[in-house]
Amino acid sequence: NSYANALILNNQHEKALQLFERALQIEPNDLITLCSYAKALTSNNQQEKALQLFERAIQIEPNDLITLNSYANALILNNQQEKALQLFERAIQIEPNNVITLNSYAYALSSNNQHEKAWPLFERALQIQPNNVITLNSYAKALISNNQPEKAWLLFERALQIQPNNVITLNSYANALTWIREYEKAWPLFKRALQIEPDNPKTISSYAITLASIGQDEKALPFFEKALQMGLEDHNIRNDFIYFHYFPALERLGKYQEAINQLSEIKKDFLSQYEANIIFLKLGRLYYCIKQRKKGDEYFEAAIANSDDKEKTWLHSARNIFASDPHNDTAIQMLRKIDKDSPRYDQAREMLILNFSEQDYFEMVNADVPSELSDTEILNRAMYHKIANEISILKAIAYRISHRSDREDPLLNRIIQAIEDVFKEVEKRKEAQKSEIETISNDDYRRILTVISKTAHDISDFVNNELAVIKSQTIRSIRKLSPNDEHYAQFDKLLTQLELTQSALNDLKAINEGISIKNHRFQVKELFEKWEITCHIDNAWILLDIRNGDSPFYGDQEKIKSALNELVENSLKHNADQPKLTIHITSQDVVNPSGIRGMNVPGEQKYLFLEFADDGKGVPEYHKDWIFQPLKTTSQEGKGSGLGLFIIRKTLTKMKGYIRETGQDGARFEIYIPYLEKEV
């Protein structure tokens, strides 16, 4: 046992496991051997055998506290939370005031979203040992994961007062601060930890991952390299974990071969089927980025062969191919394999729409769906959905004012009626378009597109004109109220939403025929005037960090404002149930930014760099590849047309700009727009 444990500390796992096996042959029921062997197997990712040994140990000595705790922690690593919690409960009953058990049990409960049961256990542990730094750290981390940062900071500060140079506390505190985007407070903690222990692998790897997560890829690279050179396996940090966070930073910098090298180092024998497939897909995409399509196809085929859901893997493979090679025939053939009766068919069809020419798309739609949905009526329906959704928001605000009012307001009633009339007129024009299209031959797609485009223009113009009248009426209502009036804030909110709606609708009429960019010269700070005045909307606070406000920019000011408005509106919609939402908007000038993937910028090209970040729910990992595609909404309520981000990307492409989403905790969008050398 002693020799084996020493070998484990020296990273000689294979020889150690042989010695544990020999010890068990001598004394098959030795509790210490069983637990030590099981823990060694757990750290070596041999979970199944480890759990068998723990089970054997618990049968020999059902009330051994060390075995119960070790077994429970191993079960948590194996995603068997329910059984783990039962073991912790048993350990607490045996020794109610054991601080190690209280800590482990409380943290497990918190991770399982049983917060109300976890907090009393943490408090009990602190009553027993008020200055236990491990308890303070665990409690603070659990509070952070439950969005209670204020109390967590107090616990971290208390832990640092007890042990100012405790590197684990400094790391945990810094990671918690970065989780809520308090980077300015986090950096000094990371640096302090590195000053105390310059070669601490956990600090170095955490610092590298944090830098990469906020887009400071160049700065992160040397820390990733140093972490990997240190033999992380000796410190219970899997190299694979670093490789997986290192490669996206390299990919974003256009260093595709180096990204491939990092991913290729991951030991696939220790991965689940799902994890292995993720690696295969990412390697396939990277090989496409360096134009080695044959090699890329090999990895996509490996993912498909390894998958229990081949249609889903076809979808993911095609999406990764299209990311660097639009209209690729291999990807199109993958999508065509998905049968009409499959639940994946609609997703495959949407992806094909993006990668067909106008005529190919028209022919596919007419072959695949009923005549009433012919041609771009699908896209058009989504446009009307967005208009209807915008009007519904306005109507809800107006009705809220009316219901809270204790007096009849004729002007407010006129506003409500005007909003109702707008909606009815949109429906009327939509029906007229449908009737006109029914008179046109199904194969005359140019004429159908002309009707659809004209209707889109007419509806957008009509709605905007009517909203201008409603806006004027709203301003008159506000002027009649004092800022202290209970309805003043509601009318102000209605006015703000009217402005947001007008901006959102301005781009809709351009969907079917391209976007017309109207450039003029303005100062960058003019993009943010609205939020300088109104920085608090609903549950959200908007914080601005404008570092290039006086820079003269030549571009389409209204389109850029519209893009930022859409991002703010999305954030409010998707995080409406969050008590407090913080939105950070940053603006600065950058030269030849590394964030523009795969783009080789000649000379010294200057860009306007806009960063939008919130601390909300963020974009789920499984939605990240879809968010810029039309007709795809991530709204849980199914509200929204799924056009907003598509319009933003299409507009920015016209400006020779670029947008990407890089959020880890919360949403984070980066926008790059080039400064034009001359006005054209």
Side-chain angles (χ1 to χ4, degrees), residues 124-136:
R124 197 159 116 208
L126 283 178
Q127 285 171 0
I128 298 164
Q129 293 182 6
N131 294 333
N132 187 303
V133 171
I134 294 173
T135 306
L136 290 165

Side-chain angles (χ1 to χ4, degrees), residues 446-461:
R446 293 189 183 279
R447 206 169 142 207
I448 292 173
L449 288 177
T450 300
V451 172
I452 290 172
S453 179
K454 180 178 181 301
T455 306
H457 275 265
D458 290 346
I459 287 177
S460 292
D461 287 340

Side-chain angles (χ1 to χ4, degrees), residues 512-647:
N512 287 311
E513 60 175 56
I515 293 172
S516 174
I517 301 298
K518 298 175 182 177
N519 292 329
H520 68 278
R521 189 165 292 281
F522 61 92
Q523 286 186 309
V524 170
K525 62 186 176 186
E526 294 174 39
L527 296 170
F528 312 99
E529 289 172 342
K530 169 182 174 179
W531 296 300
E532 291 278 9
I533 299 167
T534 309
C535 61
H536 186 201
I537 304 174
D538 289 349
N539 60 329
W541 287 93
I542 300 174
L543 308 179
L544 302 175
D545 181 12
I546 312 306
R547 305 171 192 175
N548 59 343
D550 294 329
S551 294
F553 189 83
Y554 184 71
D556 192 324
Q557 181 182 355
E558 293 307 315
K559 290 289 194 296
I560 300 171
K561 280 184 178 178
S562 178
L564 292 170
N565 275 335
E566 180 71 25
L567 294 177
V568 171
E569 190 177 333
N570 275 353
S571 183
L572 293 173
K573 177 173 65 179
H574 291 292
N575 299 291
D577 58 348
Q578 189 163 311
K580 182 183 176 183
L581 177 70
T582 304
I583 296 172
H584 293 265
I585 302 177
T586 305
S587 174
Q588 60 183 306
D589 294 334
V590 295
V591 176
N592 291 1
S594 60
I596 302 184
R597 190 172 104 178
M599 187 178 290
N600 295 317
V601 182
E604 293 291 308
Q605 175 63 61
K606 182 179 174 184
Y607 282 77
L608 170 61
F609 172 47
L610 304 172
E611 181 187 65
F612 176 98
D614 68 32
D615 59 356
K617 299 171 185 173
V619 181
E621 193 62 38
Y622 52 88
H623 275 137
K624 284 183 181 287
D625 291 329
W626 288 98
I627 56 173
F628 294 109
Q629 298 186 11
L631 312 183
K632 194 72 179 178
T633 175
T634 60
S635 172
Q636 292 181 350
E637 296 81 13
K639 295 177 181 177
S641 64
L643 282 175
L645 292 173
F646 170 66
I647 295 170

Side-chain angles (χ1 to χ4, degrees), residues 241-261:
F241 181 74
I242 303 299
Y243 295 138
F244 197 77
H245 283 85
Y246 190 8
F247 98 85
L250 291 165
E251 182 181 5
R252 288 190 294 268
L253 292 170
K255 299 182 178 184
Y256 301 121
Q257 186 59 59
E258 291 177 50
I260 289 170
N261 295 342

Side-chain angles (χ1 to χ4, degrees), residues 9 64 91 100 148 203 265 319 345 428 485 528 530 551 567 606:
L9 291 173
D64 184 81
I100 294 173
Q148 296 187 47
T203 308
E265 289 291 331
R319 185 184 304 151
Y345 178 71
K428 181 179 172 183
D485 190 291
F528 312 99
K530 169 182 174 179
S551 294
L567 294 177
K606 182 179 174 184

Side-chain angles (χ1 to χ4, degrees), residues 175-447:
N175 283 320
L177 285 164
T178 57
W179 191 70
I180 63 163
R181 303 185 184 283
E182 292 281 359
Y183 304 118
E184 297 306 316
K185 294 179 182 177
W187 301 137
L189 296 173
F190 274 128
K191 289 173 183 175
R192 196 161 125 205
L194 287 170
Q195 284 171 353
I196 297 164
E197 293 184 19
D199 295 326
N200 185 296
K202 290 188 177 179
T203 308
I204 293 167
S205 55
S206 294
Y207 192 30
I209 291 167
T210 301
L211 287 168
S213 72
I214 64 167
Q216 294 192 30
D217 297 319
E218 290 280 9
K219 195 173 178 181
L221 297 193
F223 288 97
F224 276 124
E225 284 298 329
K226 187 173 180 181
L228 289 170
Q229 289 167 7
M230 298 180 72
L232 294 176
E233 303 287 355
D234 297 347
H235 303 273
N236 295 320
I237 306 172
R238 286 177 57 196
N239 282 343
D240 291 352
F241 181 74
I242 303 299
Y243 295 138
F244 197 77
H245 283 85
Y246 190 8
F247 98 85
L250 291 165
E251 182 181 5
R252 288 190 294 268
L253 292 170
K255 299 182 178 184
Y256 301 121
Q257 186 59 59
E258 291 177 50
I260 289 170
N261 295 342
Q262 297 302 324
L263 267 184
S264 299
E265 289 291 331
I266 293 177
K267 301 180 186 72
K268 298 174 188 63
D269 293 343
F270 295 122
L271 301 179
S272 67
Q273 181 189 46
Y274 172 76
E275 291 168 335
N277 266 16
I278 289 176
I279 303 299
F280 289 144
L281 291 170
K282 292 184 183 300
L283 282 168
R285 183 181 73 224
L286 287 166
Y287 274 108
Y288 261 79
C289 288
I290 60 173
K291 310 301 180 188
Q292 293 188 28
R293 293 182 177 85
K294 186 176 179 181
K295 187 73 174 175
D297 287 341
E298 288 176 9
Y299 278 105
F300 290 128
E301 287 165 10
I304 293 163
N306 189 50
S307 176
D308 291 332
D309 187 343
K310 296 200 183 307
E311 291 185 341
K312 183 178 181 180
T313 311
W314 284 334
L315 275 173
H316 284 294
S317 298
R319 185 184 304 151
N320 279 284
I321 292 172
F322 286 146
S324 60
D325 189 13
H327 319 304
N328 178 278
D329 189 59
T330 300
I332 287 173
Q333 294 312 314
M334 285 180 183
L335 297 176
R336 286 188 179 280
K337 289 180 183 178
I338 298 176
D339 190 77
K340 287 183 182 179
D341 296 330
S342 166
R344 312 278 182 201
Y345 178 71
D346 287 342
Q347 295 176 9
R349 191 170 160 281
E350 286 178 13
M351 204 186 300
L352 281 171
I353 289 170
L354 297 176
N355 291 280
F356 274 159
S357 67
E358 189 177 79
Q359 187 164 359
D360 287 338
Y361 160 64
F362 175 80
E363 290 170 356
M364 183 196 75
V365 170
N366 274 282
D368 288 353
V369 299
S371 58
E372 65 265 20
L373 297 180
S374 62
D375 196 51
T376 48
E377 173 64 13
I378 294 170
L379 183 56
N380 211 36
R381 277 198 315 157
M383 291 167 60
Y384 298 136
H385 186 111
K386 183 167 181 65
I387 291 172
N389 191 46
E390 295 284 342
I391 295 170
S392 296
I393 293 171
L394 294 173
K395 191 163 64 172
I397 296 171
Y399 273 120
R400 201 176 302 137
I401 300 170
S402 176
H403 291 155
R404 291 180 180 177
S405 179
D406 55 2
R407 61 182 182 276
E408 187 76 10
D409 187 336
L411 189 54
L412 178 60
N413 290 338
R414 285 202 295 275
I415 290 172
I416 292 171
Q417 187 58 52
I419 294 171
E420 294 276 12
D421 291 343
V422 168
F423 187 79
K424 289 177 184 175
E425 183 62 26
V426 168
E427 289 297 308
K428 181 179 172 183
R429 295 184 186 215
K430 182 181 170 184
E431 286 299 317
Q433 175 210 267
K434 184 177 175 181
S435 298
E436 186 173 357
I437 286 176
E438 286 174 351
T439 66
I440 302 172
S441 170
N442 280 346
D443 59 0
D444 192 353
Y445 73 94
R446 293 189 183 279
R447 206 169 142 207

